Amino acid sequence: MSTTYYTCAESIPAFLQERYIFMRETAYNAYRRSSYVLAHSLISIPSLIVLSIAFAATTFWAVGLDGGFSGFLFFFFTILSAFWAGSSFVTFLSGVVSHVMLGFTVVVAILAYFLLFSGFFISRDRMPSFWLWFHYISLVKYPYEAALQNEFHDPAKCFVRGVQMFDTTPLAAVPLALKLKMLKSISSTLGMNITGNTCVVTGTDILRQQGITEYKQMELPVDHHCLGFFLQDSVFYFALLLGSNNKRRDPLKRFGSDSSSASRFFAGY
């Protein structure tokens, strides 16, 4: 999932190259800042859809993810939300930072912290309480949890059965017969019947171990899209409003007192 965000970082120079054109044209009332923000959001949607389809199609079946065609559609929607939020975040930073290299440095640093506190390396239950706020604003958290829920949402699907519970322990090399005896001993101790085919870990158990219990499956990409809209339309607009606080001018003042030059200029449009 983090690949999608680092891919979006390449769009940082785009607005920085347009910055001075934007400031000049808004100063002369060519268009409003809100019009620029809305147009910037709309023109980015087709390219993000193409990228999402290509990314989802090359990873979903190649990795062997579960869910069939409906699972693929949800995975595509999740990837699209990741690209949208990442593009919105980078666009917002490009409106704040005025230097390309500084922008790349800030984006990479923040995305590294987003990945660290997304729940992939440290589950939410193990995070210090004073870092939980960063966990909830992490852009990587929501598509990561959505992908896990898409894979492990079925409580009837079993992932570890009977003797497989020893595979990740030092007892993995123990003969099968001895493992079955240990299961009988565990069964008598716990007062329950655990055989070699008993389901020990389901998908719901995996989600619970990762601390992914707060949101329903469809809520995660929807919330992520809303966060992207917030960054792209609201925060980016205010970044432009504060970062390019230039006074509006009369377009005729560009030509001084020579009205004939202004007439020839506007006659060309």
Side-chain angles (χ1 to χ4, degrees):
M1 289 299 172
S2 60
T3 306
T4 60
Y5 296 98
Y6 288 107
T7 303
C8 295
E10 66 179 7
S11 63
I12 292 179
F15 175 74
L16 296 180
Q17 293 175 356
E18 301 174 359
R19 187 182 187 93
Y20 296 104
I21 300 175
F22 166 79
M23 294 178 66
R24 183 189 65 193
E25 293 180 346
T26 52
Y28 286 102
N29 297 316
Y31 46 78
R32 297 179 180 274
R33 294 182 180 88
S34 57
S35 301
Y36 176 82
V37 171
L38 181 60
H40 193 278
S41 301
L42 293 178
I43 63 174
S44 64
I45 293 177
S47 61
L48 295 181
I49 292 177
V50 173
L51 283 174
S52 301
I53 293 176
F55 187 91
T58 55
T59 56
F60 185 82
W61 285 287
V63 176
L65 298 179
D66 189 37
F69 185 71
S70 61
F72 170 76
L73 292 179
F74 181 81
F75 184 72
F76 158 73
F77 189 61
T78 301
I79 296 298
L80 179 60
S81 71
F83 272 118
W84 173 254
S87 175
S88 303
F89 173 69
V90 172
T91 302
F92 156 66
L93 285 183
S94 66
V96 176
V97 180
S98 59
H99 193 274
V100 175
M101 293 307 299
L102 179 59
F104 277 118
T105 303
V106 172
V107 167
V108 171
I110 295 179
L111 288 181
Y113 278 101
F114 280 166
L115 179 60
L116 178 62
F117 292 100
S118 64
F120 179 77
F121 294 103
I122 309 172
S123 63
R124 176 176 54 86
D125 299 333
R126 297 174 55 192
M127 291 182 188
S129 58
F130 52 85
W131 276 115
L132 284 178
W133 66 273
F134 205 93
H135 170 71
Y136 286 103
I137 68 171
S138 172
L139 298 180
V140 186
K141 161 189 167 63
Y142 301 97
Y144 167 67
E145 293 188 359
L148 284 184
Q149 287 205 12
N150 190 41
E151 184 70 14
F152 302 110
H153 70 281
D154 188 2
K157 187 175 181 179
C158 186
F159 291 89
V160 178
R161 291 184 180 275
V163 294
Q164 293 178 346
M165 65 189 301
F166 302 111
D167 290 346
T168 57
T169 68
L171 299 175
V174 173
L176 179 60
L178 186 55
K179 291 180 181 178
L180 293 175
K181 290 182 179 180
M182 286 190 290
L183 286 179
K184 290 182 180 180
S185 178
I186 295 174
S187 299
S188 61
T189 302
L190 297 178
M192 55 189 301
N193 185 25
I194 303 177
T195 64
N197 295 322
T198 302
C199 184
V200 180
V201 178
T202 64
T204 306
D205 297 328
I206 295 177
L207 294 177
R208 189 181 301 109
Q209 291 171 5
Q210 296 296 321
I212 305 176
T213 56
E214 292 182 304
Y215 298 95
K216 295 180 180 179
Q217 185 175 358
M218 286 303 300
E219 290 178 349
L220 291 165
V222 171
D223 291 347
H224 209 212
H225 274 290
C226 294
L227 182 59
F229 276 111
F230 175 72
L231 289 173
Q232 180 87 313
D233 295 336
S234 300
V235 182
F236 181 48
Y237 172 78
F238 285 107
L240 294 180
L241 188 64
L242 299 176
S244 58
N245 192 17
N246 47 3
K247 296 181 179 179
R248 293 191 177 272
R249 306 172 186 177
D250 186 355
L252 295 178
K253 290 184 179 179
R254 298 174 62 180
F255 307 96
S257 58
D258 190 357
S259 59
S260 61
S261 299
S263 300
R264 288 195 302 272
F265 175 81
F266 288 107
Y269 287 91

